[in-house]
Every structure is written in structure tokens, then in C-alpha cells.
Amino acid sequence: MGYKFNFADADRLFCNIFDKYDIYAPKKFPKQGRYSDTDIIKYAKINSINEIEFHIKSDYSAKEVLNPINETLFYFIENEFRESSAPKKPILLFARPCDINAIEIQSKIFEENGEFSDIYFTRIKNNLKFVLMDCNGGDDTCFCVSMNSNFTDNWAIAIKQLENEYLLSIKDSEFTSDFENCEQTDFSPEFVQQNTLSVNIKEIPNKEVLNKLKEHPFWLEYDKRCISCGSCTVSCPTCTCFTTRDIIYSENPKVGERKRVYASCQIEGFDQMAGQKEIRNKASERMRYKVLHKYHDYKERFKTKHMCVGCGRCIHRCPEAISIVSTLEKMNNAIDEILNKDIQE
Amino acid sequence: MNKDIDIKKLRLNCYRQSKEVGKFMLQMRVPGGFIDAKYLSIVQHIAQTYGDGNFHFGTRQTFNITGIPYENIPEVNKYLEQYIEEVETCLCDVNMNTIAGEEAYWEPQSGYPTIGARNITACIGNYHCICGNINTFELARKIESIIFPSHYHIKINISGCPNDCNKAHMCDFGIIGVARMEYHPERCIACGACVKACEKGATRVLSLNENLGRIEKDACCCVGCGECVRACPTSAWTRQETPFYRVIIGGRTGRQTPRAGKMFLNWATEDVILNTLKNWQKFSAYVMDNKPEYLHGGHLIDRAGYKKFKEIILDGVKLNPECLVAENIFWDETEYRSNFNVKPINLHK
Ligand code: SF4
Ligand code: SF4
Ligand code: SF4
Ligand code: SF4
Ligand code: SF4
């Protein structure tokens, strides 16, 4: 069962929820795009349901709400420190299926990778509920169906925006009373069954093939094409890498704050070690690292789905028009080539 | 060849005299150098029916049709009626029944009424270019109705960004689209890409403050190009919503004293640009005592002196708060002949 109400009534119906929750959703920022007179859609705290951009996929992902680009961990003065405080209110996060699946992957990295769980991530996640945004199949960079990320049942409310009205479905009884006087309809969320873009990911059968794949010349193309800007990883909902940075307010280096800030495996210096040595100092090597992480290493480690949810943002944001789907097709061909050679030998 | 032709009159009609007496080249205006491709068939038709079959991309982005015999000109002018109507009246909202803002009857089948205010040229701007800050041809179309028709000369070049592909520095009144930047420190990952981009492609005004993990900017010298925005992977740099403009005046080529123009206005809004240009006729009329001569804007500014120019051209113009105006301008000319300006006093203009 679901509900139906028009735009004008939305904020009145959500008013209790606005009181209790901070609501984050994709929002259009006019003319803030990379090129002039283009817009950017990014996550922001909203004050009205009608501010939300429902139809165009956001340029930046929902991860920014749980894992902000800059996040203060603690403040320090001499030998004392104080932890940054957690958000005061619980969060209601509007997201499409790919983004909800991606947050689960973020959670794997922040909470299940290694001995301890990251408190900064957990303190937000445990206080957060999802509003599932209806997705019509996205744009021509989306391939969530290929990545099995088109479906989720991790939501409290599901919403669909029509021309003048919203359709709502409620799974979490906490919210039922807010909408009980609305007109009822039989809305329940539908999930994308097909994207215009699709990809088949070949499994890498063994370490030997993996090693040959790493040496394969097809990667070298990216030395010429990729400018190592990091736009792909910043916008990627499943990239989690960060670096820590101490901010020093004045001449006294003992007073300041420790932040974590996104890092990108695509940007030069990502893996620079104390002795200045970099392991992957070519764009092709960094590209290989990213691609293998998304479509091999993560799955190897966690024995689940691949890391990539197929949201297509890395394709959409790349200023050099590099498509990760084409890269995967090239990788598939390289794997075939390696396997065929092995048979012949 | 025995011909009796009023060459000067034809020039005002946008037909240029050729080496061969009696053959002319038509210059069709294309404000901003951008137009529906369907008009190419009109150009082709004129060239093949009335001209010598050839076409030249005019250096001021006009459609130039060569080899039109004098006898064909009335026919060409009749044929031009539709083009002038669609481009000038409909697209640019030009009142063809005026000259320099004064009412003046124009016979629609008589071709272009004036040549003074030249075709406004523009780079492709942000309609296409990834560097562009403004839509150049839309601005050109707005300006067209202010400066045309007029016998007062002015060459206006518009560039979408400080890269200035369209040489705003080499004309009377050059306009460059600029943007004012906003920095969102909460999105900055201190990657330094903007610092590198500014250093490599612009003015080296950005630096990374390692202690604060933030970018610092020497704002006075930022040219407003937007290279930092393009380079930033996180949208920590964005352009402000309103576009701004830089005006470069007094640039010119020529046989005598070519020079690059100098900055007159910086961070002006579109209103300021349009209102400033509305004073162009008044300024020209003042310098030439209401008698248009074949003299370009840079020379007019020289005659009046920059301060007089500034006084008249900004008369009644309400400057936006960000707008900066040159207090003075010191030109830097190429003097093909040293002491070019030292001459008998009766030759002074
Ligand atoms: S790798 Fe690309 S398509 Fe996959 S989740 Fe990241 S941004 Fe989306
Ligand atoms: S966005 Fe494109 S150019 Fe930039 S690092 Fe990623 S793949 Fe390379
Ligand atoms: S001036 Fe700027 S906007 Fe115009 S074409 Fe050149 S780079 Fe592009
Ligand atoms: S807009 Fe300013 S800060 Fe940005 S690259 Fe250009 S000159 Fe540098
Ligand atoms: S490019 Fe963007 S993220 Fe990188 S340092 Fe500059 S403002 Fe910060």
C-alpha cells in the first residue's frame, strides 16, 4: 500500500520528520558545474522536499553524507584532545538503489575491514535511515543492473516524484502516522530492470592470469589519456580512501585539529612512502590499481559482489571521457587473450 | 573600362571596391559570427548567381562574396531583404529605421544602410568551448541593436574567456567573459590541481597553505578564467552565477601605430557593458563634432584623451559594486617610425 499527495502538501506532511531528522538529498546547484552554465547536483541538507532533484542522477554521491570530503576527527591542544561531536539529529537520506548499495560497501570498508570499526562512520550510519528514490534507469552511463545493484530493500520510505505529485510507500512504521490522512494508492517501488549500458565482467581465474593481466600493454593507453585528476574517485560512491591531515591554526603546531580528507588512488603521490618512493607512478598503473580493486580485489577479499555498483559517475565526471565500461571490455579481451595463449602453449 | 560608380556610397552599402573596376565584394553581417547553417545556402546562391562563385570568410566574420558586378548590386540587395530582416530585425532586434539611434527611413530592398559599426565578432564561447565563461553570440546579438545601423565606426570583438582567442585586445572595444570564483573549503582535498592549473595556464595566484590544508588566493591578480574550476575534482571551486566581463579598449592593427588595447573595465556586469555601449554614439559625435569620419574608436579615444572618453562613455552608467575602472591608461604603441608623433603642428589632429 502507498500514499499520494501533491507538491504543495509535501512539506506539511514531512514537517514532523523535518523536526526530528536532518534530511539530506541530491540538490541542484545552478551554474556550479565544471563548465560555465552547467549545473552540479550534489548532496545537501534540505529544508523542503521540493528542493530535491529527483530526475537527474547526482554528480556526486550520497557517500558525502556519511563520509564527508573533509571531516574533523578531533581537536588537540598540547597533550589533550577532544573528539569531534557526532551529528545532533538522526539523518534521513534520500538515495537511489545504487547509492544505497554503495553505502553498504562503504560500511564493509569502514566497519568490517580489519580489527576495528570506524566510529566516525558508524556513529552516522547507526543513526540514519534511507528514503529510496525511484530510479527510472538513470542515464547512459548507468550500468547498475550489470553490477547487481539495481535492487535494495534497505529503505524506510520509498518515494517517486511525478509531474505534480509524490507517490510514497512506507516500510518503517515510525513514519506511518505522518501520512495516514493521505490519499491511498497501491504504490510500491519498482526497480530498474535494464540500463542502456551493460557490461559482463570476466572473472580472473587465478594468480598467474592476474599477473599477466597486470603486465598487459592495454593499460598503457591510460598513460596518454588519463590526467590523474581524481574526479572519478571523488564522485565514486564506493571509493573510501582518505588521508589524515593536521590543521595548525597558528605558529604553535601543538594546537589544531586532525581531519581526514579524501585521497585518490588516481592522483600522483597517493602511495608515496616516507622515502618519497612511489609504487605506482604512472597513470596506467594507477588506473590498473583502481580497476582491479573495483572488479577483482574487493570481491576476492570480502567474497561478495564486486565493489562497483555501476552508478556511472566515474564515466560522467571524467574530463577526458574515459569510460570504465570500455576499460572493462578491454580488460575482458586481455583476459581472453591470456587464456587463449595459455591453451596454445 | 568606362564606369561611373559612386564607390564611397557603395562602401556604406557594404560593397567593397575591388582591383577590377566595377566588381565588388559584399560583406554580410553575422553578429557574433554564429548563425543557423541554413543561411549558407543564401550565401551560396548570391555567390553563384550574382558573384564570381567564390566566398571568403571575412576577417570580421562577415560572409564575403567576391566578384559581384556593379550591375547586379540592386538585385543582390533585393535578395538580401530576407536575410537582413531575419538576422538583424528578428534575431538581434535591430531597428533598421534608425541611424545612430536617430530615426532614418530605410528601404528594405536597398541592402545594408551603414558600414561604420562593424560586424561584431566572437569566438564560439561557452556555447561549445570548455573554457568559455559566457555565451558570446547572445551578447553580440544584444549589442548589435545598440551599435547598428550607424556611420560611427566601432569594432567590437568578444571572447568567451581570458584566453582571448578572438583578440579583444586588438579592437576598439573588446569584451572578455570572466567569472568570479567561489571557494568551498569543505570540499577541498588539497590536491593542488588548481594551483598547477593557474600556474600553467593563468596567473599563478593560487597556493596551497599546508598548515590549513586550504588554497589561498591573491585575488587582486586573478584573471577570472576558470581554469581552477575546470581542474578541480571536487567542485571546491565554482563560478558565481552571474557572468562578468572585462573590457579592453583602444587596440588596433594598421599601418601607423598598431597597439594592443588596455583594460578599461574589469568585473563589469552585462548591464554595465550594454549601457556603456549606449554612450558610444554620443562619444563619437562629441569627438567628431557630429560628422562621422572613417576613424576607428582607438583613434577617437586618442583625440579626446582617455579621461574625456571615460567621462562620456560612463555617463549615467550605474556601475555594479565589483566593477573596476581604469583611472588612466598609458598606451604602448608600435611606432614604425620613431618619434611618429612629432610633426608640424598643422598636421596635429
Ligand atoms: S567505479 Fe564508477 S560506476 Fe562503479 S561505483 Fe564507482 S563511480 Fe560508480
Ligand atoms: S576522472 Fe578520468 S582523467 Fe581523471 S583520474 Fe579518473 S580516469 Fe583519469
Ligand atoms: S576565448 Fe576562451 S571561450 Fe573563446 S574559444 Fe578561446 S578558449 Fe574558448
Ligand atoms: S580564475 Fe583566477 S585563480 Fe582560477 S585559474 Fe584563473 S587566474 Fe587562477
Ligand atoms: S583542485 Fe580543488 S580539491 Fe584540489 S586543491 Fe584545488 S580546490 Fe582543492
Side-chain angles (χ1 to χ4, degrees), chain B residues 181 198 202-203 205-206 217 222-228:
Chain B
M181 305 306 160
C198 185
T203 52
V205 296
L206 300 179
K217 177 166 167 175
C222 162
V223 287
C225 59
E227 288 302 284
C228 46

Side-chain angles (χ1 to χ4, degrees), chain A residues 216-227:
Chain A
H216 198 281
F218 94 89
W219 299 108
L220 297 178
E221 169 187 345
Y222 300 105
D223 284 332
K224 299 205 185 87
R225 288 183 62 199
C226 170
I227 58 170

Side-chain angles (χ1 to χ4, degrees), chain A residues 221-272:
Chain A
E221 169 187 345
Y222 300 105
D223 284 332
K224 299 205 185 87
R225 288 183 62 199
C226 170
I227 58 170
S228 301
C229 66
S231 296
C232 46
T233 68
V234 170
S235 63
C236 175
T238 64
C239 279
T240 52
C241 288
F242 62 81
T243 182
T244 48
R245 187 177 262 280
D246 284 349
I247 304 300
I248 312 296
Y249 302 143
S250 64
E251 287 72 32
N252 181 356
K254 291 184 171 166
V255 180
E257 69 190 77
R258 176 160 297 178
K259 283 197 309 185
R260 71 172 164 214
V261 185
Y262 284 11
S264 170
C265 59
Q266 300 305 287
I267 297 177
E268 237 175 284
F270 173 76
D271 55 7
Q272 192 174 57

